[in-house]
Amino acid sequence: RTLPLCPLPQVALPTGWASTKLSPLVERVGDHKDFKKLLRTRNNVLVLFSRSASAAETELRLLSDVAQTVRGQGTVAWIDCGDAESRKLCKKLRVDPKPGGRCGLGLGSGPLLTMSTPAPQSLVAFLKDPDGPPLWEEDPEAKDVIHLGSEKVTQWRDRRERVWEGTLAGGVMCKRMMPAFQQAATELRGSYMLAGMNIHSPEFEQLKEEFNVRGYPTVCYFEKGRFLLHFENFAATAKDIVEWMHNPQPPQPPVPETPWAEEDSAVHHLTDQDFDQFLRDHPSVLVMFHAPWCGHCKKMKPEFEKAAEELHAQGEGPGVLAAVDATVNKAVAERFRVSGFPTVKYFENGEERFTLPHLRTKKKIVDWLRNPEAPPPPEPTWEEKPGSVVHLAGTDFRESLKKRKHALVMFYAPWCPHCKSAIPHFTAAADLFKDDRKIAYAAVDCAKEQNRDLCKQEGVDGYPTFNYYNYGKFAEKYNGERVESDFAAFIRSLRERDHEKLGKKRDEL
């Protein structure tokens, strides 16, 4: 895709985007042959056409930072149409960067678009996904939401209206809430203010601490610039939001968890005190370790009860069912290494025999007790599967990475669904570079006790997190798409840069 870009308006660069020198990642193109090669070898290409080098100074400063941010996912190029050689290329592409000339943003040979007030974040989002939705602040449906940036942080504190400031920065839950939030902003226009603020960037760390932002979205309610309370109904409709704004109320306290009813239950409820004696008295026992708040436990309890009733009706059946509230009876739960809920274990003659994660329904429970067998082997962990990903631990992390010029490290947790989706793509990308000793795709399991300090030290605050290291030193976070092609393109861009530097050194020699 080629994305021609007109000279940008003279705009003040936002804080954090100013650059003192141009990035070498902005590629200057002079003739048609080089331009065709660029399009053939790169993915998304954003091109700045200028009428002279001096006229493009501000735009190039802006695009230098954009190029740095999208490295590995997109390419930024510059064609100076005032240059004698490049003028032919501009004419061939039918681009006229002079005032009133034909120019703009476009996809391939399709219709040209205009971006009247391009912001760095807009260009970054566009380059990463040209066909994707616009940033929230650019969405016409969100025109009545007040979008706050760093320059407005102090302003909204001093406003006299009622202000509701919501931090919505990506994530399924945030995107799901946006339409209702936008509609409510329109309905409340003139009476109440609804605002949105993306505070994912480091410059807002102090603000996040002040208002206890630990996840997204976090929605806060203000009156006359003073924070009063949080709004926590993330499944709210526009009507819910409008009604709440007319009568703001603090979140209702959660309903206390109902303990498993022990009266008239065919399941034997055990404690730290009577657990061992019960196992001595019953040669065959299936025990469910549970927690009152656990959703999977609540779903399994009726099945466990029905299975216990059927076995009890058989008199001297194949075994009995028992349950342990692991949040209360911590000693026995710790002794048998219970770390998740529900955990189902089989005991025979007082000794633990099997852990049975697949027993969740009445039929499976009863059938298994009638014919106890060793459970199927557990699915091998990512670390146990063959592949080219290097699995690191806290003890050897830094030393291992020092040997690699380029290392992309995935910090993950085995239970994380987003990690599970990314793993096959990350593994496939690692296989592409398995013969290059300078490159490593590595992984760290942050759920392991030995790695927790390391993950915290490396700035991991969610899973998965991807960090790029150069000879063991942290260089930047990878924020690209979690697919094989993007993982590979990121490393390829680094390798191409190495080749370019080597070529320049040879030319100098």
Side-chain angles (χ1 to χ4, degrees):
R1 295 169 182 170
T2 173
L3 311 169
L5 177 62
C6 287
L8 310 179
Q10 299 294 316
V11 294
L13 297 179
T15 303
W17 285 85
S19 178
T20 55
K21 64 178 182 178
L22 298 181
S23 167
L25 295 176
V26 176
E27 303 192 21
R28 182 165 182 174
V29 182
D31 58 37
H32 193 251
K33 183 179 178 181
D34 291 340
F35 187 65
K36 289 178 67 176
K37 180 182 177 182
L38 183 72
L39 301 185
R40 188 175 64 252
T41 58
R42 303 298 173 87
N43 294 325
N44 297 335
V45 181
L46 182 71
V47 184
L48 168 68
F49 294 87
S50 71
R51 60 181 178 272
S52 67
S54 58
E57 182 179 353
T58 300
E59 291 80 6
L60 286 172
R61 290 172 57 207
L62 174 68
L63 292 177
S64 292
D65 293 298
V66 172
Q68 181 69 28
T69 305
V70 301
R71 186 170 65 180
Q73 300 169 271
T75 300
V76 177
W78 171 40
I79 299 176
D80 180 7
C81 296
D83 179 75
E85 184 180 10
S86 302
R87 192 178 298 128
K88 297 178 182 178
L89 175 58
C90 295
K91 187 175 181 180
K92 191 176 186 67
L93 295 174
R94 299 180 181 178
V95 174
D96 181 5
K98 296 178 182 178
R102 178 182 180 275
C103 53
L105 284 169
L107 293 173
S109 59
L112 292 170
L113 310 172
T114 59
M115 186 176 284
S116 57
T117 55
Q121 57 267 31
S122 303
L123 295 174
V124 169
F126 181 73
L127 255 178
K128 288 183 176 181
D129 186 8
D131 296 321
L135 296 177
W136 194 27
E137 55 266 36
E138 296 175 357
D139 186 349
E141 298 293 326
K143 65 182 184 305
D144 293 313
V145 176
I146 307 301
H147 298 280
L148 302 174
S150 56
E151 71 280 3
K152 295 183 180 178
V153 170
T154 56
Q155 296 177 17
W156 60 259
R157 292 175 185 267
D158 301 328
R159 298 293 293 266
R160 307 304 293 180
E161 301 97 335
R162 290 184 173 186
V163 181
W164 185 9
E165 184 272 315
T167 62
L168 296 102
V172 175
M173 186 187 298
C174 303
K175 292 178 181 177
R176 187 180 302 155
M177 188 178 181
M178 282 179 182
F181 197 81
Q182 293 165 183
Q183 184 180 341
T186 299
E187 294 183 21
L188 292 168
R189 184 176 55 192
S191 301
Y192 301 93
M193 179 192 296
L194 268 64
M197 189 173 185
N198 183 342
I199 62 170
H200 195 63
S201 59
E203 63 184 296
F204 296 112
E205 287 301 322
Q206 183 176 350
L207 198 67
K208 287 190 278 190
E209 286 296 324
E210 182 178 351
F211 297 111
N212 193 33
V213 178
R214 296 291 181 266
Y216 304 108
T218 295
V219 185
C220 305
Y221 175 73
F222 296 81
E223 276 191 10
K224 298 180 179 179
R226 185 167 61 92
F227 169 72
L228 292 185
L229 49 92
H230 283 100
F231 177 83
E232 297 183 358
N233 182 8
F234 303 128
T237 64
K239 181 181 178 182
D240 295 333
I241 296 172
V242 169
E243 290 179 352
W244 190 91
M245 286 297 290
H246 285 295
N247 184 27
Q249 296 293 324
Q252 296 298 313
V255 178
E257 297 291 347
T258 304
W260 196 344
E262 299 183 17
E263 295 181 4
D264 301 323
S265 173
V267 175
H268 299 270
H269 293 270
L270 307 180
T271 66
D272 286 337
Q273 291 71 36
D274 62 14
F275 185 86
D276 292 330
Q277 184 60 50
F278 185 87
L279 263 58
R280 285 193 289 269
D281 296 341
H282 298 82
S284 178
V285 185
L286 193 66
V287 181
M288 172 182 170
F289 294 86
H290 65 95
W293 45 260
C294 163
H296 294 294
C297 301
K298 293 176 183 178
K299 186 176 180 180
M300 183 178 170
K301 284 175 184 178
E303 298 292 319
F304 207 67
E305 282 280 6
K306 291 174 185 176
E309 290 169 2
E310 182 171 325
L311 293 168
H312 182 71
Q314 297 174 5
E316 293 294 326
V320 296
L321 302 189
V324 174
D325 184 344
T327 64
V328 176
N329 304 288
K330 297 180 179 179
V332 67
E334 290 177 3
R335 188 178 10 143
F336 293 106
R337 305 169 302 282
V338 175
S339 58
F341 307 110
T343 293
V344 180
K345 290 181 177 288
Y346 177 67
F347 295 83
E348 190 173 71
N349 297 321
E351 299 291 332
E352 179 186 353
R353 290 290 308 280
F354 306 123
T355 298
L356 305 158
H358 64 292
L359 299 187
R360 290 290 184 269
T361 64
K362 169 198 159 186
K363 186 177 187 308
K364 287 185 177 181
I365 293 168
V366 173
D367 290 348
W368 191 90
L369 263 180
R370 286 173 177 161
N371 183 27
E373 294 179 336
E379 179 74 17
T381 64
W382 186 18
E383 194 168 349
E384 294 169 342
K385 294 178 180 178
S388 304
V389 174
V390 181
H391 292 273
L392 303 175
T395 52
D396 61 0
F397 180 79
R398 201 69 59 186
E399 288 302 315
S400 298
L401 293 186
K402 283 182 180 178
K403 303 173 184 177
R404 308 296 183 114
K405 186 171 186 178
H406 303 301
L408 186 60
V409 181
M410 175 177 170
F411 296 86
Y412 73 101
W415 47 261
C416 162
H418 299 299
C419 302
K420 293 177 183 178
S421 298
I423 283 173
H425 293 278
F426 195 78
T427 303
D431 291 339
L432 296 175
F433 297 90
K434 62 182 179 182
D435 297 325
D436 193 328
R437 295 184 179 181
K438 293 183 179 180
I439 293 171
Y441 284 77
V444 176
D445 182 354
C446 294
K448 290 184 176 179
E449 182 69 32
Q450 68 194 82
N451 294 333
R452 288 179 182 173
D453 289 342
L454 169 65
C455 294
K456 184 177 181 181
Q457 172 188 315
E458 298 304 311
V460 178
D461 55 7
Y463 306 120
T465 290
F466 299 89
N467 287 353
Y468 163 62
Y469 296 85
N470 180 255
Y471 287 122
K473 292 184 179 180
F474 171 78
E476 63 179 279
K477 282 192 177 294
Y478 170 85
N479 294 312
E481 296 298 321
R482 300 165 185 172
V483 294
E484 177 189 348
S485 59
D486 287 84
F487 287 138
F490 178 77
I491 294 297
R492 283 196 186 100
S493 70
L494 299 172
R495 194 163 62 174
E496 288 173 6
R497 187 179 62 184
D498 293 341
H499 292 163
E500 290 172 0
K501 288 182 179 179
L502 181 60
K504 289 180 180 178
K505 288 183 179 179
R506 286 174 177 170
D507 291 343
E508 291 172 359
L509 291 174

